[in-house]
Amino acid sequence: MRVLVVADEEYLAELIAAGLRRDAIAADIAHDGREALAKMRLGAYDVLVLDRDLPGPHGDDIRRHVVERGRPTRMLMLTASGTAHDRVGDRVEGPGLGLGADDYLGKPFAYEELLARVLALGRRARPTRPPVIERAGVTVDTARRLALRDGRPLPLSRQEFGVLEVLLRAQGAVVSGDDLIEEVWEEHTSYRTNAVQVTLSTLRAKLGDPPVIETVPGAGYRLRGR
């Protein structure tokens, strides 16, 4: 899952993004509406965590942009407004849910609640996927963020968990290194980096023997077996 956190309060944006990354979610940051629109043009996001009171364009304008273009991106709107009218607003032009926001969270909030809402929106943004995936004795439970090999828990980093999930979902198909960068790492990660190779090396060590991740020369990587 890829999330864009849009907030002009730098501390708040960094705090949210750091928490999401600890929970194996790729998170990018924008500090104003203009930067958010630029990043959405460059890459697809499953969820926007959007502070409504943004400097140019306003958070309402960002959401209107998403709705009018029919993007599948879901949005969690953050606002200091606490009344029902502020959350729902007018059906056409009002703030919050009436404008097309998928969910609303008033400030201050608990990170655990924000995470739960982001995960729920992420599941709605993509085609329905089983929460538990298994192949060759390797299991990933995306809802509980757990990975196992033959029932043995695997202490994986965020990138290791993400790479394993992508390979499992491919069901034996080859996944390129560039695709792994796009799915698992944050923006500005160079496609020339050796991050994929390093992560695969540590992931293979944690998975143990017999090896299940195969390198396909000139193409990418795949998970062996059934």
Side-chain angles (χ1 to χ4, degrees):
M1 184 194 308
R2 182 171 290 275
V3 175
L4 179 61
V5 180
V6 189
D8 62 332
E9 299 175 59
E10 293 188 17
Y11 176 76
L12 176 63
E14 293 288 349
L15 196 65
I16 294 172
L20 294 174
R21 290 164 186 163
R22 283 196 303 270
D23 285 295
I25 297 170
D28 299 333
I29 294 173
H31 292 303
D32 58 45
R34 188 173 294 102
E35 185 181 6
L37 290 174
K39 290 190 175 182
M40 283 190 288
R41 282 193 293 269
L42 293 175
Y45 292 96
D46 300 299
V47 178
L48 293 184
V49 176
L50 180 63
D51 195 338
R52 182 173 175 241
D53 297 319
L54 279 178
H58 191 273
D60 291 348
D61 297 321
I62 300 297
R63 183 53 191 172
R64 191 176 291 110
H65 170 89
V66 173
V67 171
E68 289 175 352
R69 283 156 181 76
R71 294 176 180 268
T73 305
R74 302 295 181 174
M75 190 196 75
L76 173 62
M77 183 174 279
L78 305 178
T79 176
S81 302
T83 68
H85 179 268
D86 287 330
R87 291 194 298 271
V88 178
D90 183 83
R91 285 180 179 270
V92 178
E93 294 297 333
L97 300 174
L99 184 63
D102 298 287
D103 202 356
Y104 158 93
L105 190 58
K107 297 186 288 186
F109 53 85
Y111 169 74
E112 291 74 13
E113 182 177 4
L114 179 139
L115 174 63
R117 290 171 184 254
V118 166
L119 291 173
L121 291 175
R123 288 191 290 270
R124 291 166 56 189
R126 296 189 176 197
T128 302
R129 292 176 167 184
V132 179
I133 335 160
E134 193 277 335
R135 184 180 176 86
V138 179
T139 303
V140 161
D141 184 332
T142 58
R144 295 191 295 162
R145 316 308 291 180
L146 294 175
L148 305 98
R149 171 90 190 260
D150 297 326
R152 171 176 59 88
L154 301 171
L156 303 183
S157 70
R158 183 188 71 78
Q159 285 87 359
E160 291 164 354
F161 187 96
V163 167
L164 186 59
E165 179 184 351
V166 172
L167 291 175
L168 277 168
R169 290 202 185 281
Q171 290 296 304
V174 175
V175 181
S176 72
D178 286 355
D179 286 341
L180 288 174
I181 288 286
E182 183 69 27
E183 287 283 334
V184 179
W185 274 264
E186 281 77 37
E187 62 178 338
H188 306 313
T189 301
S190 171
Y191 290 103
R192 297 181 181 180
T193 182
N194 66 346
V196 170
Q197 291 89 337
V198 171
T199 299
L200 279 164
S201 177
T202 57
L203 176 58
R204 282 167 166 148
K206 291 179 181 180
L207 285 166
D209 293 323
V212 290
I213 298 177
E214 178 183 7
T215 299
V216 181
Y221 311 90
R222 64 184 169 202
L223 208 63
R224 296 173 177 167
R226 285 189 155 290

